[in-house]
Amino acid sequence: MNKTTLLSASPNLHELHICELLGNNVNQNSRYIHIVKQYIATVLQSGDDKTVVKNTRPRLLTLGQLGFGDGHEIMLLLAALQLANQQHLLKHQQTQIHISVFEHTPVNRKRLEQKWQQQGLLDSEHHLFGVAQALLNGEIAAIEGCQRLGLLENQVIIDLYQGLPLAQAKTIATPDKQRITHWFALPHTNQMIHSDHYFNQHLIWQYGRISVDNATFLAANINDNDIAATIKKSLTLCGFLSTTQSPTNDDIAIAERHALRQQTRQQFAYNPLPSLQTNNRSPIAIIGGGIASASLALSLAERGKDVIIYCKDDTLGQGASGNKQGAIYPLLTPENNSLSQFFQQAFLYSRRRIQALVDNGYAIGHDWCGVLHTGFDQRSQTRLDKIIDGQAWPTEIAVRVNSTQATQLASVDIDKSGFYYPLGGWACPFEFAQASITKAQTLANVRVIYNSDISSLEPHSSGWQLFSGENNTLIATHDQVVIASGSQLTRYKQTKDLQITGFRGQVSHVPPQGELAQLSTVICANGYLTPQHNQLHCIGASYVKDPKHLDFCPLEQHENSLKMQQSFPNSNWPHNIDVSNNDARVGVRMVSRDHFPVMGCVPDIEALFSRYAVQQQSKDKPSLWQRYWQTTPAPIYDGLYVLGGLGSRGLSSGPLVAECLAANLCGELSPLSLELQALLSPNRMWLRKLLKGKALM
């Protein structure tokens, strides 16, 4: 079949030749195939309007799917959209699809690759080979929570929610603008063994909460039997339509959805999310020039938002993002708590971000060589063993290795067992930042103003005024400002009380020589060590709280030289580490006590403590004030946001928190749950006490 015959157009819709496309290796039950064709036709027809949209962003169509299965439906959507955009079947502008997929049983790349290999989909001559390979390259992992994948140069965004669908859906933030318009349920989801996971009444209402009021719901079955009457009844009760031609649903269901949206907002009222701005074409200001700033600029540009970046240096990445190599791997905990789950999601997203830019032709030094994590003394080994033994970790996230395996992975002698992160590795932070900005500038009006040191910010009736220099000269006014300035995050009066601390880190650069030159994976023990790149290894880093200066420190250089010797005293290769050239780089990492980054509205701490003072003087029951803090939005500075506190894992966490903030600023579906966003809140340390009815001091 010629590629141009993949899609056939009729006056009213474009129908995909699914049977021919998939071949004979896939279930081709006539009813199922018909519904899939109807689903894709509905999608394409939704994009076939005659309205010319002036925004630079493609038309966004938001879909929902129950079940991931073998991924065939996703591949069909990818292929259909790709060809429709190529053939200009979607009138006036391209269409971008954002699809939220709920899968009860987690899948991973290995399982999909095995299935598709058997079905012939990975044959380079197969019409779905390209989209199948794109999905595999997304490195889907069998973890709980949302994994955001951007495919076909972000023409398709997939939010894959794995785990109990109700647990995943109930804390998705209700978006102000972007809601799901069409739902499709895979056949296995309405079988008796699975239907309660996907179609219980509470969950269907959650589907309704994140959908438009006239959303349609199509359900496929594996045989010619009708969908269970109880499921149909539940969908109708919750206000879903079966087709776009269905009569309008009843007002009661719509009112119930609105009430549920309000209830969800009230549940997390204490952590206010950004409000939508009426002036959509006003550029968003970002203060900073590192990973956080660049990642946010790219995420905003992908949404058609104009951005102005104020960078105090003459080039990007001169702060903590200026290191030559930075390790990328997840932070895990024995109990796999929220911190651990966040870092798994963030690490995978960062990896995809970097790889997508590289695939797009941008030069970013990197190597997915894996990360080998070992203890370096009894205490650290005990802590690592607790992590290893605490969970049945997915093998694509981390795997236990013995000393023989560790030696093979590292290509140098490792005389102890450890934990290996196979998808980890290293990347060059400042090249990642530069590539992100360059890519963003191809998508929207993104300007970088160098040598622009913002000394203060002041609220004004027209927005936030930015002042620069010793004379505090007014240089600009913006409706929305994001402070993403790394070590200078707390320099402003609005942010000076944020509970994050600066730690100096000196990274030493050492030449490859002897056995050291053979190192083939990142080692994390007492400090970290990278394989050589451009004839240098990076080793470090020192960790000095509240540094007084950023000058080169000979003592820290010497201590760096000993880190691997202390970690592997019985091996010879650590003696090849030579720091005598005094080649090093110093940066400051901003760290929070709970190791989460900070992201969201800048809290008005003065107003918060004023309210608390009233509480202290009142004679109300403590439970009344506890309820007050739980249900009342915490005081914030409207239009002022913060993004930072990335610590020593900024490469792993920065891109995802930036994507989340961009989604919030644009009223779109976020890749992070409301619970995780509350844990990222700049206000969290104070609110954590107040929500529990405890004293602030």
Side-chain angles (χ1 to χ4, degrees):
M1 183 181 71
N2 187 284
K3 188 175 181 181
T4 57
T5 65
L6 176 68
L7 210 61
S8 63
S10 69
N12 297 317
L13 56 83
H14 315 292
E15 185 175 287
L16 195 63
H17 294 305
I18 292 171
C19 296
E20 185 177 359
L21 185 63
L22 287 179
N24 298 317
N25 297 315
V26 183
N27 182 349
Q28 293 184 21
N29 175 271
S30 59
R31 176 173 172 76
Y32 175 33
I33 293 299
H34 171 73
I35 292 182
V36 175
K37 289 163 73 175
Q38 182 184 357
Y39 177 48
I40 294 173
T42 302
V43 169
L44 295 177
Q45 193 174 20
S46 297
D48 192 9
D49 60 56
K50 295 181 173 56
T51 303
V52 178
V53 181
K54 294 182 180 180
N55 198 311
T56 57
R57 185 184 184 180
R59 183 183 187 278
L60 179 62
L61 184 62
T62 307
L63 311 174
Q65 180 172 307
L66 304 190
F68 184 84
D70 289 341
H72 295 148
E73 296 72 28
I74 296 291
M75 286 190 284
L76 292 172
L77 280 175
L78 287 167
L81 178 72
Q82 190 176 34
L83 193 61
N85 279 334
Q86 288 173 355
Q87 296 184 346
H88 306 292
L89 297 175
L90 302 177
K91 299 292 190 287
H92 303 294
Q93 64 176 148
Q94 292 199 330
T95 289
Q96 182 186 55
I97 288 180
H98 186 136
I99 179 165
S100 297
V101 182
F102 295 86
E103 173 55 56
H104 174 248
T105 305
V107 298
N108 62 9
R109 173 187 174 135
K110 184 177 180 181
R111 173 186 157 188
L112 294 174
E113 197 166 21
Q114 290 173 341
K115 290 267 188 184
W116 296 348
Q117 194 73 54
Q118 294 169 359
Q119 295 164 349
L121 298 177
L122 299 184
D123 184 333
S124 60
E125 298 300 316
H126 197 286
H127 299 290
L128 287 179
F129 172 75
V131 291
Q133 200 60 54
L135 265 173
L136 290 180
N137 292 343
E139 297 292 352
I140 294 172
I143 62 171
E144 288 199 9
C146 175
Q147 296 177 69
R148 176 161 288 189
L149 293 81
L151 304 174
L152 306 181
E153 294 196 23
N154 263 33
Q155 281 187 45
V156 178
I157 304 295
I158 300 174
D159 281 343
L160 176 57
Y161 294 90
Q162 301 197 106
L164 288 172
L166 180 59
Q168 299 299 320
K170 69 181 182 180
T171 59
I172 294 175
T174 307
D176 290 317
K177 288 174 57 178
Q178 178 199 15
R179 293 182 186 162
I180 295 174
T181 56
H182 304 291
W183 287 85
F184 177 61
L186 267 58
H188 73 274
T189 62
N190 55 67
Q191 291 180 315
M192 186 173 296
I193 191 173
H194 298 297
S195 62
D196 193 50
H197 290 310
Y198 292 99
F199 288 101
N200 72 72
Q201 196 72 48
H202 294 299
L203 182 53
I204 296 176
W205 278 117
Q206 293 295 338
Y207 298 153
R209 177 177 64 83
I210 57 177
S211 300
V212 298
D213 289 344
N214 61 344
T216 62
F217 209 118
L218 298 176
N221 211 333
I222 58 174
N223 51 46
D224 290 329
N225 295 331
D226 227 354
I227 303 300
T230 53
I231 292 178
K232 281 188 173 182
K233 182 179 179 181
S234 294
L235 290 170
T236 302
L237 178 67
C238 296
F240 284 106
L241 309 178
S242 58
T243 69
T244 53
Q245 285 76 40
S246 298
T248 305
N249 45 29
D250 65 85
D251 294 338
I252 295 177
I254 301 306
E256 288 286 346
R257 287 191 191 181
H258 291 177
L260 187 58
R261 289 172 191 145
Q262 182 58 35
Q263 179 184 338
T264 304
R265 289 192 183 98
Q266 193 67 20
Q267 182 184 355
F268 294 91
Y270 58 88
N271 181 38
L273 300 181
S275 56
L276 289 183
Q277 296 291 315
T278 54
N279 186 1
N280 289 327
R281 298 311 302 166
S282 176
I284 296 174
I286 304 175
I287 302 173
I291 290 294
S293 173
S295 296
L296 179 60
L298 177 55
S299 288
L300 288 170
E302 289 171 338
R303 293 163 169 81
K305 291 290 185 181
D306 295 340
V307 174
I308 297 179
I309 296 173
Y310 295 92
C311 177
K312 69 180 181 62
D313 302 305
D314 56 5
T315 56
L316 294 170
Q318 293 303 294
S321 300
N323 290 333
K324 297 178 182 294
Q325 294 172 287
I328 304 180
Y329 64 106
L331 171 61
L332 304 181
T333 62
E335 62 277 13
N336 195 21
N337 58 13
S338 296
L339 181 69
S340 176
Q341 292 178 28
F342 162 75
F343 267 100
Q344 289 172 71
Q345 296 174 38
F347 151 70
L348 291 168
Y349 182 79
S350 182
R351 191 187 190 283
R352 295 182 192 113
R353 262 302 200 205
I354 293 170
Q355 192 59 53
L357 287 168
V358 171
D359 292 344
N360 207 215
Y362 294 95
I364 304 174
H366 75 289
D367 188 1
W368 306 126
C369 56
V371 175
L372 177 63
H373 189 182
T374 74
F376 54 88
D377 57 21
Q378 187 57 51
R379 182 182 177 187
S380 63
Q381 189 62 53
T382 300
R383 186 167 60 244
L384 182 59
D385 288 341
K386 285 183 179 179
I387 296 173
I388 295 173
D389 298 331
Q391 303 288 323
W393 300 103
T395 55
E396 61 272 20
I397 294 297
V399 59
R400 179 200 295 270
V401 293
N402 59 34
S403 60
T404 301
Q405 294 167 322
T407 297
Q408 292 173 341
L409 290 166
S411 302
V412 295
D413 179 42
I414 305 292
D415 62 351
K416 57 184 68 176
S417 61
F419 220 20
Y420 181 65
Y421 308 96
L423 295 179
W426 66 266
C428 177
F430 66 84
E431 289 179 351
F432 181 22
Q434 183 62 66
S436 298
I437 294 295
T438 305
K439 175 65 175 178
Q441 290 172 331
T442 69
L443 303 172
N445 184 10
V446 175
R447 290 194 296 138
V448 183
I449 303 178
Y450 294 105
N451 300 308
S452 182
D453 187 16
I454 306 301
S455 54
S456 66
L457 304 99
E458 294 294 339
H460 188 267
S461 58
S462 58
W464 283 94
Q465 294 181 327
L466 274 57
F467 297 86
S468 181
E470 294 181 1
N471 297 325
N472 234 23
T473 304
L474 175 64
I475 62 169
T477 303
H478 293 274
D479 293 334
Q480 294 174 298
V481 177
V482 181
I483 303 172
S485 50
S487 63
Q488 298 196 329
L489 213 60
T490 56
R491 74 179 293 189
Y492 306 109
K493 64 182 181 181
Q494 295 87 357
T495 58
K496 64 182 176 62
D497 292 319
L498 290 179
Q499 293 179 315
I500 51 178
T501 306
F503 285 83
R504 168 193 166 99
Q506 181 166 307
V507 177
S508 303
H509 305 143
V510 301
Q513 57 185 4
E515 294 179 39
L516 176 63
Q518 302 170 17
L519 180 65
S520 56
T521 189
V522 177
I523 292 181
C524 176
N526 182 15
Y528 74 95
L529 173 67
T530 63
Q532 63 168 304
H533 175 61
N534 292 336
Q535 293 299 301
L536 285 177
H537 300 268
C538 289
I539 186 169
S542 57
Y543 201 69
V544 181
K545 185 177 181 179
D546 293 326
K548 305 304 179 187
H549 64 83
L550 298 183
D551 300 333
F552 172 82
C553 177
L555 177 60
E556 291 176 32
Q557 188 81 343
H558 176 67
E559 290 172 344
N560 282 345
S561 73
L562 300 178
K563 289 182 185 296
M564 290 300 127
Q565 293 181 35
Q566 295 164 348
S567 301
F568 308 102
N570 300 321
S571 299
N572 292 322
W573 60 268
H575 297 284
N576 297 140
I577 296 173
D578 179 9
V579 299
S580 61
N581 56 9
N582 288 336
D583 186 2
R585 190 180 183 283
V586 180
V588 175
R589 299 151 294 182
M590 300 298 284
V591 182
S592 63
R593 289 202 305 268
D594 59 9
H595 300 290
F596 276 106
V598 291
M599 182 278 294
C601 303
V602 173
D604 186 339
I605 304 303
E606 184 178 340
L608 183 134
F609 272 84
S610 295
R611 293 187 192 180
Y612 180 68
V614 174
Q615 172 186 343
Q616 291 296 90
Q617 308 219 348
S618 76
K619 296 181 180 180
D620 296 333
K621 292 181 179 180
S623 59
L624 291 177
W625 277 99
Q626 183 180 3
R627 178 65 177 162
Y628 169 82
W629 292 111
Q630 290 170 347
T631 58
T632 305
I636 60 171
Y637 292 104
D638 288 329
L640 187 62
Y641 314 100
V642 65
L643 176 64
L646 305 181
S648 57
R649 294 174 185 263
L651 269 176
S652 297
S653 62
L656 183 62
V657 290
E659 173 73 2
C660 180
L661 180 56
N664 288 343
L665 290 171
C666 297
E668 298 184 359
L669 285 165
S670 166
L672 292 175
S673 69
L674 285 167
E675 290 175 342
L676 282 176
Q677 291 190 60
L679 291 171
L680 293 168
S681 170
N683 231 352
R684 63 184 182 265
M685 298 299 183
W686 296 284
L687 285 177
R688 199 166 289 165
K689 295 179 180 179
L690 296 172
L691 294 173
K692 294 178 180 178
K694 296 181 179 180
L696 275 182
M697 298 186 246

